Amino acid sequence: MEPVVESAVFLSFVGASCYLFGRKIKRRVDYLGSITRVDGLKSLDDLLAKNTTNLLVLVSGRVGSAAPLDCKHNGLLGVLVEETAKLDCKIELEGGGLIEKSLTFLLHQKETPWYLEDCTGQVNVVGVQDALGFNSILNKYVFKMPASELLKTVVIPDGTKVLKHNCHGRALNIGTYLTFVGEAVRDKAGTVMIQRPKEQSFLVYSGEGSFENMVAELKSMSEVYIGLGKIIGTVGVALAVMYGVHCIRRVLLPFEWEKEELRNRSEKAKSDRGRTHQRKESDMGRTHQRKESDASRLPIGLAFLLVKGKDC
């Protein structure tokens, strides 16, 4: 395959891929834009009265709880706390050898009932750990714990020598601004809550305006990929067309050359005949002139004898 063909195929493939990827992002933007936005949590009651099933909504508010947890290692109140420790240690084997290994232990994990609230009301959220983006909404922190205290809370194999250790925690703190895309339903008691949708994804975003910024970025990205795909694809198609024209000309060129050759031969033959005719006429003229010249150049005496001979 020639380089031009390879380039045309490659550019066409890249252009189509960019265009399809941009269209996929655009469908995602259209889907997110079609979700029912709830201006106030209190209005969920009215929405549920009109739509009893599969009500996909976009709700925003701050995390609140009637019994928040005290996150002593980050100094904040939270509704979900998880702390882990990582130990880098040497473990003695039965044969007397040593191996280095990292061990991770869960030190502390607690969760208390919580809700999402705004100035109009509040709504419970269940199954938030299953939401896409859950890890990004947690406040991560590092804390120190003496090795002696740490070893009292974990069980490690005998003969283990701790080389170093570090402790990490993450928490969902009170007052964190969250935006959820989920299904609004009522529980058995009739209380409104947000849960994971049956067919769509359960989404969560942290920060005011984070959802709108994300949608705007996706829209911009889709436009870039669609436009880039069209440009690259057009270049690929143009190369393919140029190569096709080149191939057609290469096939038809011998016939055109033969026609041109015949035309040139015909014109050359006509020209040769014309020159031959002119040459003949020129030769005849020169012969006649030579005769006249020869006759005019006879000596006077010889001419007189010739004339006299004729008279006799």
Side-chain angles (χ1 to χ4, degrees):
M1 187 178 293
E2 297 188 14
V4 176
V5 179
E6 293 178 354
S7 300
V9 172
F10 175 75
L11 291 176
S12 300
F13 177 77
V14 173
S17 300
C18 291
Y19 180 81
L20 293 176
F21 184 65
R23 294 292 301 177
K24 181 179 180 181
I25 297 176
K26 189 176 185 303
R27 287 193 297 270
R28 179 69 173 175
V29 173
D30 294 339
Y31 161 71
L32 294 175
S34 65
I35 299 173
T36 303
R37 283 166 168 74
V38 179
D39 295 331
L41 296 178
K42 188 177 181 180
S43 61
L44 283 173
D45 287 322
D46 298 333
L47 290 174
L48 284 173
K50 300 176 183 178
N51 302 275
T52 57
T53 59
N54 300 327
L55 178 59
L56 192 66
V57 295
L58 175 70
V59 296
S60 299
R62 297 189 179 277
V63 175
S65 176
L69 303 173
D70 183 11
C71 306
K72 61 179 182 178
H73 290 121
N74 73 348
L76 300 173
L77 297 177
V79 296
L80 186 150
V81 181
E82 181 183 287
E83 296 177 344
T84 58
K86 182 180 179 181
L87 304 179
D88 294 333
C89 53
K90 285 186 177 182
I91 301 177
E92 184 177 356
L93 302 177
E94 294 181 357
L98 294 174
I99 61 170
E100 293 187 4
K101 193 173 183 180
S102 296
L103 303 175
T104 302
F105 298 94
L106 179 63
L107 301 177
H108 178 69
Q109 185 177 29
K110 280 188 178 181
E111 183 177 3
T112 187
W114 62 280
Y115 47 80
L116 204 65
E117 62 180 354
D118 62 9
C119 58
T120 65
Q122 64 185 43
V123 61
N124 295 327
V125 182
V126 296
V128 66
Q129 291 88 346
D130 298 329
L132 296 177
F134 170 72
N135 291 328
S136 64
I137 69 175
L138 299 177
N139 177 29
K140 300 173 179 62
Y141 57 92
V142 178
F143 62 95
K144 295 182 179 180
M145 179 181 291
S148 57
E149 182 180 349
L150 178 61
L151 293 176
K152 292 178 182 178
T153 59
V154 299
V155 178
I156 59 177
D158 295 335
T160 300
K161 181 180 179 181
V162 177
L163 302 177
K164 63 178 181 179
H165 71 283
N166 50 68
C167 300
H168 299 269
R170 58 180 191 169
L172 180 56
N173 297 119
I174 293 291
T176 303
Y177 190 92
L178 300 178
T179 298
F180 284 93
V181 175
E183 183 182 5
V185 296
R186 294 184 185 275
D187 59 13
K188 295 180 180 180
T191 305
V192 179
M193 65 179 185
I194 304 297
Q195 67 177 13
R196 179 177 181 177
K198 296 180 177 63
E199 299 178 357
Q200 291 81 12
S201 300
F202 192 21
L203 308 175
V204 60
Y205 303 91
S206 177
E208 296 186 38
S210 57
F211 179 82
E212 288 75 13
N213 294 336
M214 182 271 298
V215 172
E217 290 178 0
L218 288 178
K219 183 178 180 180
S220 177
M221 188 184 301
S222 69
E223 293 174 351
V224 169
Y225 274 100
I226 290 175
L228 189 62
K230 290 181 179 179
I231 294 173
I232 297 176
T234 301
V235 173
V237 172
L239 286 177
V241 171
M242 291 174 61
Y243 180 76
V245 172
H246 172 72
C247 291
I248 294 173
R249 291 184 61 187
R250 188 169 59 183
V251 171
L252 298 179
L253 188 60
F255 300 100
E256 296 294 333
W257 182 84
E258 289 179 1
K259 291 180 180 179
E260 185 67 23
E261 184 67 18
L262 291 174
R263 190 181 303 112
N264 292 336
R265 288 180 181 178
S266 176
E267 292 178 355
K268 185 177 180 181
K270 291 180 180 179
S271 177
D272 291 342
R273 286 195 298 268
R275 283 195 296 269
T276 301
H277 181 68
Q278 290 177 359
R279 191 181 299 112
K280 288 181 179 180
E281 290 181 349
S282 177
D283 291 342
M284 292 176 64
R286 283 196 297 270
T287 303
H288 180 69
Q289 290 176 0
R290 190 180 299 114
K291 289 180 179 180
E292 292 180 352
S293 177
D294 291 343
S296 64
R297 290 179 183 176
L298 289 174
I300 297 175
L302 180 59
F304 177 77
L305 290 175
L306 291 174
V307 171
K308 187 176 181 180
K310 288 180 180 181
D311 293 338
C312 293

